[in-house]
Structure formats: structure tokens, C-alpha cells
Amino acid sequence: MTHIPGIVITGASGRMGQMLIRTVTESDQARLVGAVERAGHDWIGRDVGEAMGGQPLGVTVTDDPLEAFAKAQAVIDFTAPEATVEFAGLAAQARCVHVIGTTGMSDAQIAALEPAARHSVIVRAGNMSLGVNLLVQLTKKVAAALDEDFDIEVIEAHHRHKVDAPSGTALMLGEAAAEGRGVQLADVADRGRDGITGARERGHIGFHAIRGGDIVGEHDVLFAAPGERIVLRHVATDRAIFARGALKAALWGQGQKPGQYDMVDVLGL
């Protein structure tokens, strides 16, 4: 079994953390070798399987990420931006593949990953699903094919507990549209509208966030011109798709050269 990559899951108690643990333990291509939670969490010192309400998995939840990473070949991380930056440095020390699904990272936090990427493989994506990454590529192509007579709006919906907006996926789609148009997203992004905003600016890319219930993830890219509209859409109904994509990225990263990659690289799109 030692030739099968060992995986550590950070943020083990969260919705994605638990889904990732189930995905890894059900896989015949990877082993769960660690589960990390923040200091003081009531799962610390417990078997992660029992903490999740199931059978023991033989993995004790720890608040010492470096100790956990030292036993692993990959870390899958869907936590918070500050924690992710810290984990990147520790994963680099352990020479682990670091798969990052954390969203809401600032430009400065993303830049802070670069030193770690000189020593280890980092795969970072706002969304790990095959369908979404195909949607990103389609968005880029459609944006490149249409002129500014077509207004671009990105509309996303997620569950009520999501803390960042726009979603990482919406930003991926906005970046793809901007790249297709040959512009910088920062120069043309409109983040929600309220009050007397005036007419829509030609060439801008709008973002709108919906939060409610248990919506897993819905993303629309609207291209609207006088007399016609094109809508590209992806609907996720099970967050297991993100966990499967993250595991695929962790396995793909084995043997790759140090550097920063995304799901386009993993999927060969």
C-alpha cells in the first residue's frame, strides 16, 4: 500500500473536508494519512471517522499540520485564505503536492504562494469540476468571438453559508471572458449594482451573487446584445464533484515539477 499516495485533508470538520475524507477513503488510488483542524477544535485527538459519526478510520485529527504533512504525498486544502498561505509553506517543507480549493484569496495572498511553488507542486483552482473548467474554456472562446455589442454578466448562486462573493468560480469565468476580450478584468469588472448607477458601461463585465438555502453551486455567463442572448450554464447538485476533482489533481501532481498549476493543466484542456 505504500506506493499509493497518502493524502492529508485540512479543515477536516467542514462540509468539504468531510466530503474529501469520504472521497479519499473510498478511492483505491489514495490513502488518508492525516486530518487537520485548527487548535482548540473539539475534533482534535479523535479518530476522524468517529468524529464524522462513522466507523474508525485509524487517522487521528491533529492541530499540527507539519507533522501530518510529513507523512503525506499530497495535501488537499479547502479552508480559509490565511490558513492556506500558511499551509503552502508547510507543504513545501514536506515536499507535498498542495491542492488548493480555497476561494476568496486576495492578490497579495495569491502572490504569497509563489515562494512555496519554487519547491513544491501547487494546484490551485476556484473550482475543481470538469464541467466548470470546460465552461471556463467556452466562455473565453465565446467572448473572443463576440464584440462589445454583447454585454457580459456572470451570475452565481450558492448556499447561505458561503462567506465570499463573487465566488471563485465566478471570478474564473470573469477572467476567462476578459482574456477572450483581450482586457484586464480589474479594469472592466462591475461588482453588483445598487441605487442610481447610470447606464451600463460598454465592455464591462458584471457580477451578481445569490445566497440561499443549500444551493451547491450554479453559474451562468450571459452574453446579451440587442435582439439576442447567449447563456452558458453549469449547475452542480453534489459537492462530491469538487472532491473528486481535487483528488484527481492530487494524483496528477505526483511527479510534476515544482510550480503553480490549475485544473486546465490537470485535465489537459
Side-chain angles (χ1 to χ4, degrees):
M1 293 289 290
T2 56
H3 67 286
I4 298 177
I7 311 290
V8 172
I9 305 301
T10 61
S13 71
R15 286 185 298 274
M16 273 306 304
Q18 294 188 50
M19 179 62 71
L20 287 161
I21 288 167
R22 286 191 287 269
T23 299
V24 171
T25 55
E26 291 168 2
S27 172
D28 59 3
Q29 297 180 288
R31 299 172 294 130
L32 182 70
V33 298
V36 175
E37 259 302 343
R38 65 186 181 278
H41 195 281
D42 60 9
W43 281 24
I44 302 299
R46 298 175 62 188
D47 182 279
V48 70
E50 293 180 337
M52 289 170 58
Q55 296 298 312
L57 294 175
V59 172
T60 301
V61 181
T62 181
D63 59 4
D64 185 342
L66 184 56
E67 179 184 23
F69 295 178
K71 300 181 290 187
Q73 284 70 56
V75 177
I76 303 180
D77 175 18
F78 284 67
T79 55
E82 297 82 1
T84 290
V85 172
E86 178 185 353
F87 291 148
L90 298 176
Q93 288 184 50
R95 299 300 190 264
C96 288
V97 174
H98 187 190
V99 177
I100 300 174
T102 302
T103 59
M105 298 185 73
S106 68
D107 290 343
Q109 288 164 332
I110 292 169
L113 302 175
E114 183 56 36
R118 299 190 193 111
H119 304 285
S120 64
V121 172
I122 294 178
V123 181
R124 185 180 67 86
N127 194 298
M128 298 283 175
S129 88
L130 172 60
V132 161
N133 283 278
L134 286 171
L135 179 61
V136 168
Q137 298 304 305
L138 289 171
T139 297
K140 186 187 305 182
K141 290 185 176 182
V142 173
L146 301 176
D147 62 23
E148 291 186 352
D149 285 343
F150 282 82
D151 299 320
I152 303 175
E153 299 282 310
V154 181
I155 306 103
E156 54 100 344
H158 285 86
H159 54 86
R160 61 165 63 116
H161 301 291
K162 187 168 179 60
V163 298
D164 58 306
S167 69
T169 303
L171 293 172
M172 286 172 60
L173 293 166
E175 289 283 3
E179 185 176 344
R181 284 257 169 103
V183 297
Q184 295 295 315
L185 181 60
D187 296 333
V188 297
D190 285 335
R191 301 287 191 89
R193 303 184 182 95
D194 184 37
I196 307 301
T197 61
R200 189 189 198 284
E201 290 200 44
R202 181 179 173 86
H204 276 208
I205 297 173
F207 290 87
H208 310 277
I210 296 165
R211 297 290 178 265
D214 60 355
I215 301 169
V216 173
E218 299 178 4
H219 294 86
D220 293 280
V221 184
L222 170 66
F223 297 84
E228 59 182 329
R229 285 175 289 172
I230 300 167
V231 181
L232 304 179
R233 184 165 217 233
H234 180 270
V235 176
T237 58
D238 185 348
R239 59 177 46 89
I241 64 173
F242 311 128
R244 290 194 293 268
L247 178 56
K248 184 179 181 73
L251 297 174
W252 176 88
Q254 304 302 312
Q256 300 293 333
K257 294 179 180 179
Q260 295 200 55
Y261 302 90
D262 58 24
M263 286 302 288
V264 172
D265 299 308
V266 174
L267 299 170
L269 296 175

